[in-house]
Amino acid sequence: MKIEDGCECKCTYCAISGARGPVRSKRPEEVISEVEGLYEGGTLEIVLTGIETGSYGADFDEKYDLADLICELDRRHSCERIRLGSMAPELLTKGFIDRISATKIMVPHIHISMQSGADNVLRGMKRRYNRKMALENIRHIRERMPGVMLTADLMVGFPGESEEDFLDTMRFVSEAGLLDAHVFAYSKRAGTPAAEYDGQIDEQTKAERSARLIAECRAVQSRILEGIVREGKPLSVILETRRGSEYTGHSDSYIEVVCESENDLQGRLVMVTPIRYENGKIYGKI
C-alpha cells in the first residue's frame, strides 16, 4: 500500500526528487481504513511503502509520523502483519525503533536503502548518513527486535568508487548480517550531478563488482539460513503460491520458505519447522 509520494533528499545519482516533487502523505484515517478493509477481505500482511517511506507525515501540519501510524494500526489490530518498504538508514533512529519494536503488528524485518558501505561514496551521493551511523542503528535494531532480518539496496560503480570503497561495501554485508540485498550498477540519469562527475566506472568493472557483491551476499545468507536450520525454531509463514502439493511463502522475517501439504492452505498463516536450506530458501514441515 502506497502511503507516501515524493522525495526531498536530492541524491546526486537520482532523478526522483525532480520527477516526483516534495513529500506528500496519505492521511492516517485513509491508511487505516484501507488496511482494515484489506484485512477484512482476507489479506494478512500489508507492506507500507512510498518513494521515501520513512518521511511519512513530514508534510502534515500536526506532529504525526510513521511510528505514530504503526502504533495506531497496532492498537486497533488493523491486520496481522505490517511490513515497511525501503527505509533510509538515518530515519531508523533509536526512538523510531523503540516505538515500532514494542508493537505486535510490526514484523521483524527491515529493508534498508543503504546504497553503499563506503563513506567516500556516500558523500559523493550526498546521502544523509555514513557507515558508522548505519551500523550503530542496525545494532540497536538487533537489540530491540530479536530474530530480525535485514535486507538492503546496494549500488556498485558510482563515479569515483575505488576498489577499497567497493571492499567497504563488501565488508558491510557481513558486518550488517544482511539476509539478502538488491545489488545494482550505477547508471547515468540525465540532469543529475553524478552524471557529470569525473571518474565514471566502465561497464565491465561494474559487472565484475556486481558479481562479487552478489556472491558475498549469498555467502552471508547461507550462514544465516544454516543457523536457522540448526536452531530448528518454527517459522511463522504466510503461504503465497502453490504448485501441486508444494507451497512457497515468506516468514515474518522475510525468509523464503517451501513446504508441502495436500490441504488448501493458500493465503493461510502456518508454522513451519525448518529442515534444510537450498538456493536461498528454507525447506520445512508444517
Side-chain angles (χ1 to χ4, degrees):
M1 177 187 297
K2 189 174 183 180
I3 63 170
E4 181 273 343
D5 203 349
C7 180
E8 297 167 28
C9 292
K10 300 189 185 303
C11 299
T12 61
Y13 57 86
C14 184
I16 284 177
S17 61
R20 296 280 186 169
V23 169
R24 302 179 302 286
S25 307
K26 186 178 290 186
R27 293 299 307 176
E29 57 271 21
E30 292 182 53
V31 177
I32 292 165
S33 176
E34 287 186 37
V35 168
E36 293 180 347
L38 288 167
Y39 188 36
E40 289 170 7
T43 300
L44 299 182
E45 176 177 307
I46 310 290
V47 183
L48 303 180
T49 189
I51 298 301
E52 177 74 311
T53 314
S55 293
Y56 176 83
D59 56 321
F60 292 158
D61 292 332
E62 71 276 22
K63 187 178 182 299
Y64 193 95
D65 60 16
L66 184 58
D68 291 318
L69 178 63
I70 293 169
C71 289
E72 191 166 352
L73 289 167
D74 185 65
R75 282 193 299 271
R76 297 170 63 99
H77 192 73
S78 296
C79 70
E80 203 67 33
R81 290 180 181 175
I82 287 292
R83 196 180 301 277
L84 296 178
S86 295
M87 293 290 295
E90 76 273 16
L91 299 177
L92 296 172
T93 63
K94 290 185 178 180
F96 176 77
I97 295 301
D98 288 347
R99 293 186 68 195
I100 67 169
S101 65
T103 68
K104 295 179 180 178
I105 205 169
M106 182 69 200
V107 297
H109 165 245
I110 295 179
H111 185 79
I112 305 172
S113 180
M114 187 67 199
Q115 310 305 343
S116 175
D119 283 343
N120 289 335
V121 174
L122 293 172
R123 280 192 294 270
M125 292 176 170
K126 291 203 177 338
R127 300 290 281 176
R128 300 177 178 182
Y129 54 89
N130 56 29
R131 178 192 182 87
K132 181 181 178 182
M133 180 196 296
L135 289 172
E136 285 178 351
N137 288 351
I138 285 170
R139 278 192 287 272
H140 188 69
I141 291 169
R142 293 199 181 282
E143 289 172 4
R144 295 309 303 265
M145 301 175 75
V148 68
M149 292 294 165
L150 302 172
T151 53
D153 296 317
L154 294 173
M155 182 192 297
V156 300
F158 184 79
E161 181 188 62
S162 67
E163 176 66 12
E164 187 57 36
D165 292 333
F166 171 69
L167 291 176
D168 274 346
T169 298
M170 289 273 283
R171 287 186 282 264
F172 179 85
V173 172
S174 181
E175 290 176 49
L178 299 183
L179 173 68
D180 204 354
H182 171 219
V183 175
F184 60 105
Y186 166 78
S187 59
K188 288 184 179 182
R189 292 290 182 267
T192 60
E196 306 302 323
Y197 280 2
D198 292 333
Q200 298 287 331
I201 308 295
D202 64 88
E203 296 303 316
Q204 182 177 345
T205 300
K206 290 179 189 177
E208 289 172 350
R209 288 179 179 174
S210 292
R212 289 163 63 192
L213 187 55
I214 289 169
E216 178 65 13
C217 291
R218 293 291 169 263
V220 172
Q221 181 186 71
S222 292
R223 291 197 292 271
I224 292 171
L225 297 184
E226 181 181 20
I228 289 169
V229 171
R230 192 185 320 111
E231 184 181 25
K233 183 179 178 180
L235 304 170
S236 172
V237 180
I238 294 176
L239 302 180
E240 299 159 13
T241 60
R242 181 181 187 181
R243 173 181 277 177
S245 63
E246 183 179 272
Y247 285 93
T248 302
H250 284 85
S251 72
D252 52 0
S253 55
Y254 206 61
I255 296 168
E256 192 168 5
V257 178
V258 180
C259 55
E260 290 192 2
S261 176
E262 297 297 334
N263 300 319
D264 184 6
L265 300 176
Q266 193 162 357
R268 296 275 297 277
L269 193 155
V270 298
M271 301 303 293
V272 178
T273 300
I275 295 172
R276 63 184 178 88
Y277 72 94
E278 183 180 341
N279 295 326
K281 300 177 184 179
I282 291 280
Y283 289 77
K285 182 178 181 180
I286 296 175

